[in-house]
Each structure stands twice: as C-alpha cells, then as structure tokens.
Amino acid sequence: MRNEELLALIEKKNHNGDSFFAYNSLVEEALNISKRCLASDRPLVVVKENNYMANRLKDILISYFDDDEIVSYLPEESLRSEEIATSFENRAERLLALYRIITSKPKVIVTSPYGFIRHLPERDTLLNSIIHLKKDDILEREDLIEKLRKLGYEKTVHVETPMTFAVRGYIVDVFSVNYPKPFRIEFFDDVIDSIRFFDINTQRSEEVNDEVTICFAKDVFFSDEEKEFLKENVELTSGELELNMEYLLNDVFKQSSYFFYAYFKKEHLVDYLDGDIYLSDKTKIDEHLKLLSEETIAYIQEMHEEKKLPLKFYVYEDFKRLLFNQYVIEGKPFTDPFTGIEEIDLPYGNLEYLLSLIDKDKSRYKIIALDGKESEQALDICAGGVDQKVNIAGFGCRAAGIGAEQVNRLQSIFLRNRQNALCDLFHGIDHLQAPPSD
C-alpha cells in the first residue's frame, strides 16, 4: 500500500471496531477503507450506490493502493443498458477486472449494486479458460483460432481493439485485455516460432516475448449440460430468439446470452473472494436496487411481449442472500468521523490570504496539499514568517503537538510520492487533528 505512514497517523477512535465507517466526504470514506485494509489481510468488496460514485471513490483510493491492489468491477447499471448501450471499453474493463480478481489478490474491489448481484460464471470456468502460450509450444494454428472464438474473440481483418484477433497465413494477431498492446504469434508448422508485441498504428513488431497469457473475452459460459437443458426447456417463439439460442449453443458471444443465466444457479463476486463487504450507504443502495428491480421486470416483460425473451426474472441474485454469512461493514454518511481528518472548503482567492486564514487555528496541525506551482508558492509564503511552521516539501505542519517522528513520516510520504502524492488527492487543504499532549 501507499502512504502507510499517513494512515498510521490517523488515531482510531471508533469503539465499535469495524462494524461501521463514519464519514462526511469521499476523502474520509477512502481513509476509512485504506486504514482497514492496512490492518487486515482480507480483501474488501466496496459497494457504492452507482457507477459514478464508485469511480469517484476509486480515483481517491488509488493514492493509497498499488495498481495491483485495487480493482473496479462496474458493468452497466441495468440489464437493459447492458443489452443496448454496453460500450466496447466498458466490456473490456469489466473482463479485465474479473481476470485480475481471479488471478491476483486485490485488497479492494469497488463495485455497484448491479455489479454485486450480477450472475457470473463459476470461478474455475474462467480460470480454466485462460490460455498460456510459450515459444516452442506445439499447437495447431486452427486449434488456437477455435479456442479464441469460443473465448469470445471477434475475428477482424486487422487487430485494432481488445477482444479481437486476425489471421494471415501462419500468423495470428491477438489483442487480450490484460495487455496494453496486441501480440503476434507466428507458427512454423504446428510449433510457435515467435511471440512479438506490435504497434496498432504501424502494425510493426516491437518487443519479443517468450510467453503470453490470453484472457477470456466474455463472461458468459455454458457447459454442455446447460446447453442441453436450454435446448429442451426454452420455447423458441420467434426467429430472433431462435437465432440467439443458435449463437449460445455454438459459443458465439452475444450480450443477450447473459439472460439465459436465469435458468441456472451461478456464482457472484463474493464467491470469487474470501473477504468482507463494505456497504457505503445502505439507504441509497436499497433505493438503487428497488429501481433496478422495477426496471428489470418492465424490460423483461417488454421483451417477452415482443417474443425476444422467455418470461424469466432470475437474472441476478437477491442482494440480502449474498450478504448472508458475510462480515458486513456499513457506512454511516454525514456522521462525526473517527479518523481525525476533516475537510474544509475555502473560497477561491489569493493563496497568501487563504493560508493566513488557515493559520489562525492554532489548535491543529495541517497537511497542505496543493498542485504544482501552488505548492511551491505555499512553501515560500510559509517560509516567510508563519509562526511555528515546519515546512516539508509541499506540506505545512504546525510544530506544536507534532513529534519529530511524525514530521519525518510525513516527509517520507511526500518524497516517495512527489508526482501524485496527496496533492492530486485532496486538491485543497485538509486538517489533521493533533493528538492530545501527554
């Protein structure tokens, strides 16, 4: 984790332990989450009320976690929008999130109510679908092409976007979501002769690799037994429904295939992890789930009347059932925080004037987090005579009530994180409550 020294400065005053997190802002909420993850090895599934708020919280949490420690799983927020308006980018991000969750050990998984209750394939199904290739492996080119097709990859003339592949003679180009660039697999008969990453724009090979991992390009899988069950039990009342079933049976990915998960007991995000759950604002989450339920019922009824879907409503799991036997931490928004951190909103104005206002409060020491030139200006102003200030490369801290060890900790935080530090996180000025003197 990043900024562990800052988190260690936050004195825990919540005598209820981790039963709830009190907060008045996203910054305070992020500090609660980060502090908890610092003290526990168990991953934490964070459920925000919608995708927008989940993304805002993740943007703050990034300052406290390494890149491989935090994942956001944020599908579209309803079955209708997933079917009609899912973007290529959203699908790629969703699949990459699942890949990281099952192959690594993230500390925090940020999701929405729909992402939390959405049906997923069995974890082992996803793990077993991942393809590992090495130079000199023996593999028929046609076998690789068939595997890519069944994984949800779309065949194109040239590879330009994730989840696509192209074939030219004994060369297969693949763009897997777990890499920033596509790679080129060249065969010599049935042997992998070389693996090279290449540039999308020029199509020229660049870095040579000895091995690659190809991630799944869909999150809807059906076993042979499930396919047989659907063939026998789904009444095909229209040409469109018949076509969708044909796609499903032949492993051709269409977003509409997800609906048929309603016939089976599937896994969910909590089944992929041995961790705890944090509900940011249960009231807002419940409101979102109520609207989601109403919208889903209306959508399925519309599709059934148009003979595009069977009348089946188990398209996601019950929220309360997923919480059963789980350790749940609830957020308490707009409650006195226990972190000792308080945000203050200041009017725009002259920086020197703003600093003079802040310095009037002598009972606290401050962490001043500003961007770029403002940070340098603040240091110059503080160095010009603000009483009892200790200036630390971007931070202004009042000397009274803060020990030398804490000053050194703050200094080490900034020196290690000069580029993003807390400057990008707070974009303003925050107070850190001074500990009581002995």
Side-chain angles (χ1 to χ4, degrees):
M1 290 182 67
R2 300 172 179 168
N3 295 331
E4 292 185 17
E5 292 88 348
L6 178 62
L7 296 173
L9 285 176
I10 303 172
E11 184 177 1
K12 189 74 172 178
K13 298 182 180 180
N14 183 356
H15 298 295
N16 293 293
D18 278 344
S19 61
F20 68 87
F21 291 160
Y23 64 92
N24 280 310
S25 68
L26 285 174
V27 170
E28 291 173 359
E29 185 174 29
L31 286 167
N32 274 316
I33 293 168
S34 305
K35 180 70 175 177
R36 183 266 177 200
C37 291
L38 185 64
S40 174
D41 292 331
R42 291 173 62 81
L44 186 66
V45 179
V46 176
V47 185
K48 290 293 290 183
E49 61 267 29
N50 55 50
N51 284 5
Y52 172 71
M53 295 304 295
N55 276 316
R56 286 189 61 192
L57 178 63
K58 186 197 173 186
D59 288 343
I60 298 173
L61 287 169
I62 288 172
S63 294
Y64 292 101
F65 293 91
D66 295 329
D67 292 340
D68 60 346
E69 292 180 324
I70 183 167
V71 172
S72 60
Y73 176 69
L74 298 171
E76 300 289 349
E77 296 191 88
S78 72
L79 190 65
R80 185 192 299 268
S81 58
E82 193 171 83
E83 174 67 23
I84 298 172
T86 295
S87 67
F88 205 72
E89 292 78 11
N90 180 277
R91 178 181 154 206
E93 290 174 2
R94 186 176 81 216
L95 295 172
L96 178 59
L98 291 177
Y99 173 80
R100 291 179 59 193
I101 289 169
I102 65 174
T103 59
S104 60
K105 295 182 179 180
K107 290 181 176 290
V108 177
I109 300 90
V110 182
T111 190
S112 63
Y114 181 59
F116 188 74
I117 63 178
R118 187 177 185 273
H119 295 320
L120 292 172
E122 289 73 11
R123 184 175 184 272
D124 287 344
T125 297
L126 288 185
L127 279 172
N128 293 333
S129 73
I130 297 171
I131 302 173
H132 302 281
L133 298 178
K134 294 182 179 179
K135 184 178 179 297
D136 297 327
D137 276 353
I138 297 176
L139 175 67
E140 292 287 347
R141 188 202 64 159
E142 293 303 321
D143 290 344
L144 174 60
I145 293 171
E146 181 62 12
K147 287 182 179 181
L148 291 172
R149 187 189 66 79
K150 288 186 175 182
L151 280 184
Y153 282 83
E154 180 182 347
K155 187 176 181 180
T156 59
V157 177
H158 297 290
V159 167
E160 296 178 340
T161 57
M163 302 175 293
T164 60
F165 75 99
V167 180
R168 298 189 315 281
Y170 280 89
I171 294 176
V172 180
D173 292 343
V174 183
F175 201 160
S176 182
V177 296
N178 53 317
Y179 293 108
K181 289 184 178 182
F183 48 86
R184 182 162 289 151
I185 304 168
E186 187 167 357
F187 286 85
F188 182 77
D189 196 17
D190 61 350
V191 177
I192 296 178
D193 190 51
S194 66
I195 302 173
R196 295 166 292 169
F197 285 92
F198 66 90
D199 183 86
I200 293 176
N201 298 317
T202 65
Q203 294 288 307
R204 291 183 177 179
S205 300
E206 296 178 341
E207 179 186 352
V208 177
N209 258 43
D210 288 333
E211 59 183 305
V212 289
T213 298
I214 301 177
C215 175
F216 41 85
K218 65 179 183 180
D219 54 3
V220 180
F221 291 83
F222 294 93
S223 66
D224 291 339
E225 292 77 9
E226 289 171 336
K227 291 177 184 177
E228 194 62 33
F229 176 88
L230 292 173
K231 282 175 64 177
E232 295 176 359
N233 291 276
V234 177
E235 184 181 0
L236 304 179
T237 56
S238 68
E240 183 171 344
L241 189 55
E242 187 175 345
L243 182 61
N244 286 335
M245 181 60 67
E246 191 70 20
Y247 285 139
L248 185 156
L249 297 176
N250 288 282
D251 295 307
V252 177
F253 175 72
K254 296 293 180 183
Q255 190 59 53
S256 56
S257 297
Y258 171 81
F259 172 82
F260 294 97
Y261 269 181
Y263 286 85
F264 307 104
K265 192 71 174 176
K266 289 295 179 179
E267 293 189 355
H268 304 85
L269 205 57
V270 292
D271 299 310
Y272 284 25
L273 301 152
D274 181 20
D276 303 325
I277 300 167
Y278 167 63
L279 306 180
S280 173
D281 187 331
K282 194 170 185 303
T283 299
K284 289 185 177 180
I285 290 172
D286 288 342
E287 291 173 356
H288 184 94
L289 288 169
K290 183 175 182 295
L291 292 173
L292 175 62
S293 177
E294 294 171 354
E295 156 64 19
T296 301
I297 292 172
Y299 175 67
I300 292 175
Q301 287 175 335
E302 289 173 19
M303 293 295 100
H304 179 67
E305 290 172 4
E306 296 175 12
K307 298 184 177 181
K308 294 180 179 179
L309 288 178
L311 197 62
K312 197 82 172 174
F313 295 103
Y314 181 61
V315 290
Y316 47 72
E317 188 54 83
D318 179 71
F319 187 78
K320 291 182 180 178
R321 193 201 72 78
L322 291 176
L323 298 181
F324 186 69
N325 282 337
Q326 299 285 344
Y327 184 77
V328 179
I329 305 167
E330 288 194 23
K332 300 291 184 182
F334 310 114
T335 307
D336 289 340
F338 298 94
T339 60
I341 293 284
E342 293 180 34
E343 286 185 283
I344 58 172
D345 294 320
L346 293 172
Y348 290 104
N350 180 274
L351 183 60
E352 186 169 1
Y353 172 69
L354 295 180
L355 288 173
S356 68
L357 289 178
I358 295 166
D359 191 54
K360 286 182 180 180
D361 184 357
K362 301 293 185 182
S363 64
R364 302 169 178 233
Y365 62 84
K366 292 94 175 176
I367 295 177
I368 300 176
L370 302 167
D371 288 331
K373 292 183 179 180
E374 284 187 339
S375 180
E376 297 175 7
Q377 293 171 15
L379 283 173
D380 292 339
I381 294 169
C382 290
V386 178
D387 187 36
Q388 296 189 59
K389 284 280 182 176
V390 179
N391 299 310
I392 310 172
F395 296 102
C397 298
R398 190 169 183 272
I402 183 169
E405 181 181 353
Q406 293 170 319
V407 172
N408 290 334
R409 284 177 177 174
L410 288 172
Q411 187 174 24
S412 67
I413 292 170
F414 184 81
L415 292 177
R416 286 206 317 269
N417 300 277
R418 292 187 71 95
Q419 299 303 317
N420 56 349
L422 295 173
C423 304
D424 292 335
L425 172 57
F426 291 103
H427 297 286
I429 301 165
D430 284 63
H431 282 177
L432 182 60
Q433 182 71 51
S437 56
D438 295 331

